[in-house]
Amino acid sequence: AQKITQTQPGMFVQEKEAVTLDCTYDTSDPSYGLFWYKQPSSGEMIFLIYQGSYDQQNATEGRYSLNFQKARKSANLVISASQLGDSAMYFCAMREAPGANNLFFGTGTRLTVIP
Amino acid sequence: DTEVTQTPKHLVMGMTNKKSLKCEQHMGHRAMYWYKQKAKKPPELMFVYSYEKLSINESVPSRFSPECPNSSLLNLHLHALQPEDSALYLCASSRERGAKNIQYFGAGTRLSVL
């Protein structure tokens, strides 16, 4: 079974609008971490936001927020006030145990921001 | 500062060449990683070094040989590669301990094997 599922291969959003990128995960480990990365065409993987399984609040980092629904095993990324520079590939990833080195990546969602 | 530096940015090599990819970080991280990423796919983990010791080798062919000379440097030595090894090679680093253990990535080396 896939550890991380991203069902949206591509998404379009109008500049200045908000967009939600979906991510569901599968684990039986009670302690895990969820990450979102952005990968522009240049190739660098840029860390955006982290959510721990025991965190009570949804994570936020500037225009990025994570809609964490533990019972549904979903960790959707919300980008507010989209900018042209947000056009990129977005990967959701999971680490299953504290300090574990393996990251399980989803297949990614390509976001295109339309002027 | 969350910078991981990779050199070279681009590399073209023949199947009989020997080349090396380099990765450097100065964040005091004690875990370093090599990933391979094919076009339109997620990164695939190749190797993990923890405190300069190889801790994970994801069944990578022996034509890829990692080396961790010290806590800041990570090399990937390439020899007798195949055209299917053409990909983006990403290096990352993270703290060894802690709940977050965020991996910070470099910009990658785009490798073409002719």
Side-chain angles (χ1 to χ4, degrees):
Chain A
Q2 292 284 345
K3 295 277 188 184
I4 295 286
T5 302
Q6 294 180 255
T7 57
Q8 305 154 315
M11 289 282 287
F12 292 87
V13 64
Q14 203 76 36
E15 194 178 5
K16 301 181 185 177
E17 298 292 312
V19 63
T20 298
L21 306 184
D22 294 342
C23 173
T24 57
Y25 59 92
D26 182 26
T27 183
S28 56
D29 196 320
S31 178
Y32 53 89
L34 297 157
F35 305 79
W36 277 92
Y37 285 88
K38 171 185 178 181
Q39 188 175 40
S41 56
S42 59
E44 183 178 5
M45 294 280 283
I46 302 167
F47 166 72
L48 296 178
I49 197 166
Y50 165 84
Q51 180 83 43
S53 58
Y54 294 122
D55 292 344
Q56 296 297 311
Q57 307 260 23
N58 285 345
T60 62
E61 291 284 351
R63 293 186 299 110
Y64 304 108
S65 61
L66 204 151
N67 183 0
F68 181 46
Q69 298 188 45
K70 196 169 182 177
R72 298 180 64 181
K73 294 190 174 180
S74 74
N76 298 339
L77 177 69
V78 181
I79 305 174
S80 62
S82 296
Q83 302 172 355
L84 296 178
D86 293 335
S87 293
M89 196 74 166
Y90 289 80
F91 289 99
C92 179
M94 178 175 67
R95 172 196 43 74
E96 278 192 304
N101 292 318
N102 302 53
L103 268 185
F104 298 97
F105 283 91
T107 51
T109 295
R110 179 161 296 283
L111 177 67
T112 302
V113 180
I114 303 167
Chain B
D1 185 6
T2 57
E3 189 170 297
V4 176
T5 304
Q6 290 188 244
T7 55
K9 293 193 183 310
H10 301 274
L11 180 63
V12 179
M13 59 186 291
M15 290 190 283
T16 58
N17 292 157
K18 285 185 181 181
K19 296 286 185 183
S20 297
L21 309 185
K22 297 185 184 302
C23 176
E24 189 169 5
Q25 58 89 13
H26 294 288
M27 296 178 278
H29 289 171
R30 303 311 299 269
M32 297 187 76
Y33 312 76
W34 280 115
Y35 287 86
K36 173 183 178 180
Q37 187 179 23
K38 301 287 276 186
K40 300 183 180 180
K41 298 288 187 183
E44 298 174 6
L45 184 65
M46 299 174 73
F47 303 104
V48 181
Y49 273 83
S50 175
Y51 291 89
E52 294 105 73
K53 293 193 187 319
L54 184 65
S55 63
I56 294 177
N57 176 342
E58 293 287 359
S59 303
V60 179
S62 60
R63 56 185 184 270
F64 295 92
S65 175
E67 179 197 18
C68 189
N70 60 54
S71 60
S72 300
L73 293 174
L74 185 66
N75 298 322
L76 186 63
H77 302 298
L78 314 173
H79 174 54
L81 295 194
Q82 303 297 310
E84 60 264 29
D85 297 322
S86 298
L88 178 68
Y89 288 84
L90 292 162
C91 173
S93 71
S94 71
R95 293 183 301 168
E96 171 59 17
R97 306 197 193 288
K100 277 191 174 182
N101 203 18
I102 296 166
Q103 292 188 24
Y104 294 97
F105 286 79
T109 294
R110 290 194 186 274
L111 174 67
S112 296
V113 181
L114 304 179

